[in-house]
């Protein structure tokens, strides 16, 4: 389905980004992986996807907290592959504290990585996508892009901003062959959430499993985590012809979280 297309997935050395990159590779897209991690482990991921799916996969370690580096990631991809078809803005971090105690440095980092990086990436990618008359921009927001929770001032503000950015870019590119949408997952059991489970378990002196069930019970009516493959499938759908008229919207994949 995506043979000949080229995708960047930011923050794809772990969790949701890695799941999406694997799905796009399975469908035949050339890939640019991005994110932090140990060099040997990243090379194993890169060569593993390349081997398994017979697609070209390169790694670029650009820091999504640096606007110029994000723009460089896009420019470098176009230089290496001669095109860019899919941009998945996925890299993200979390930090929790009451607003009056929220460290300024954490607020700044969350806004840069979870929101500004998408702005820089999109600004750099849109001219190429317009030229190709085809492009798919997919912003991995969150249920927290649509509703709030306590102690997540930075994250909720950034994710709401990302949903707003999605609408503007959807409008600006409408009719050009380029679409821009947000995907809003509920709880997905990745390293980002494992840290929150561990914090809750320590705070309440309960087991990891009790803490995991507690998170689900509080927010996610299905009482099940969203699977990585399910998010990969949603991104693949947004890249399909059937999704050509879906733009500027936010798609919830959250087990009912935001229906409440
Ligand atoms: P994760 O911690 O498993 O992965 C985050 C990825 O981003 C990693 O590859 C990491 O190296 C990369 N990254 C972090 N800072 C970076 C930087 N400065 N530059 C480049 N890469 C950087 O987290 P995840 O749960 O897979 O989260 C991925 C996205 O999904 C995030 O935007 C997150 O907010 C969003 N999300 C996650 C959940 C969930 O329940 N896990 C729910 C909703 C939304």
């Amino acid at each position: 389905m995506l043979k000949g297309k080229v995708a960047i997935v930011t923050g794809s050395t772990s969790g949701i980004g890695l799941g999406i990159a694997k799905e796009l590779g399975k469908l035949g897209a050339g890939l640019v992986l991005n994110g932090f991690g140990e060099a040997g482990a990243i090379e194993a991921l890169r060569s593993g996807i390349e081997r398994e799916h017979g697609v070209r996969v390169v790694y670029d370690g650009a820091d999504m907290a640096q606007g110029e580096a994000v723009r460089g990631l896009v420019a470098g991809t176009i230089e290496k592959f001669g095109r860019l078809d899919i941009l998945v803005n996925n890299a993200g971090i979390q930090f929790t504290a009451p607003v009056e105690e929220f460290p300024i440095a954490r607020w700044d980092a969350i806004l840069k990585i979870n929101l500004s990086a998408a702005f820089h990436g999109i600004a750099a990618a849109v001219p190429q996508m317009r030229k190709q008359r085809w492009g798919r921009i997919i912003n991995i927001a969150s249920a927290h892009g649509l509703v709030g929770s306590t102690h997540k001032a930075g994250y909720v503000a950034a994710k709401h901003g990302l949903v707003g950015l999605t609408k503007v870019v959807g409008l600006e590119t409408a009719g050009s062959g380029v679409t821009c949408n947000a995907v809003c997952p509920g709880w997905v059991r990745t390293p980002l959430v494992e840290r929150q489970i561990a914090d809750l378990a320590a705070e309440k002196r309960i087991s990891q499993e009790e803490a995991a069930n507690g998170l689900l019970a509080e927010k996610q009516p299905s009482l099940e985590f969203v699977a990585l493959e399910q998010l990969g499938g949603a991104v693949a759908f947004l890249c399909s012809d059937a999704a050509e008229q879906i733009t500027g919207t936010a798609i919830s994949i959250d087990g009912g979280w935001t229906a409440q």
Side-chain angles (χ1 to χ4, degrees):
M1 180 181 118
L2 297 176
K3 248 198 189 90
K5 302 241 185 290
V6 173
I8 298 174
V9 184
T10 71
S12 46
T13 53
S14 167
I16 293 171
L18 180 56
I20 291 169
K22 284 181 175 167
E23 180 64 25
L24 295 178
K26 191 166 95 184
L27 295 173
L31 290 173
V32 179
L33 298 180
N34 160 262
F36 298 147
E38 195 263 313
I42 292 173
E43 174 51 24
L45 286 177
R46 190 204 65 74
S47 57
I49 299 174
E50 200 164 63
R51 212 174 324 110
E52 188 172 351
H53 301 301
V55 293
R56 182 177 171 204
V57 185
V58 305
Y59 167 71
D60 184 320
D63 180 359
M64 295 297 103
Q66 312 289 334
E68 282 309 315
V70 182
R71 288 171 188 259
L73 169 66
V74 171
T77 300
I78 295 167
E79 213 176 281
K80 283 185 204 112
F81 286 86
R83 59 187 300 119
L84 173 61
D85 304 279
I86 299 163
L87 172 63
V88 183
N89 292 304
N90 165 80
I93 59 169
Q94 176 63 282
F95 189 85
T96 59
V99 69
E100 67 273 29
E101 292 165 23
F102 214 90
I104 295 167
R106 287 288 95 200
W107 169 273
D108 288 344
I110 290 176
L111 268 286
K112 278 184 192 165
I113 296 166
N114 296 19
L115 177 58
S116 298
F119 158 68
H120 290 293
I122 289 168
V126 160
Q128 178 69 25
M129 290 178 171
R130 278 191 195 279
K131 222 187 300 172
Q132 294 172 191
R133 295 206 58 76
W134 198 94
R136 294 288 179 268
I137 299 165
I138 296 153
N139 298 321
I140 306 303
S142 168
H144 283 123
L146 303 170
V147 296
S149 288
T150 56
H151 299 174
K152 293 189 174 175
Y155 190 85
V156 170
K159 294 296 189 181
H160 273 68
L162 191 55
V163 170
L165 175 66
T166 301
K167 293 176 184 173
V168 172
V169 176
L171 290 172
E172 290 187 9
T173 56
S176 70
V178 179
T179 68
C180 178
N181 292 288
V183 169
C184 296
W187 292 120
V188 191
R189 202 153 180 182
T190 65
L192 182 139
V193 165
E194 289 296 349
R195 284 189 288 276
Q196 294 175 67
I197 292 172
D199 288 349
L200 186 67
E203 184 196 316
K204 299 242 154 93
R205 296 165 189 257
I206 53 176
S207 72
Q208 301 274 324
E209 277 326 290
E210 284 170 320
N213 290 333
L215 285 187
L216 290 173
E218 188 197 350
K219 300 284 190 190
Q220 201 146 301
S222 67
L223 302 180
E224 288 167 4
F225 286 97
V226 179
L228 296 177
E229 295 73 21
Q230 292 163 346
L231 293 173
V235 169
F237 168 68
L238 287 171
C239 293
S240 73
D241 292 344
E244 208 175 86
Q245 293 301 318
I246 301 177
T247 197
T249 198
I251 299 179
S252 290
I253 306 176
D254 65 4
W257 179 327
T258 53
Q260 299 171 99

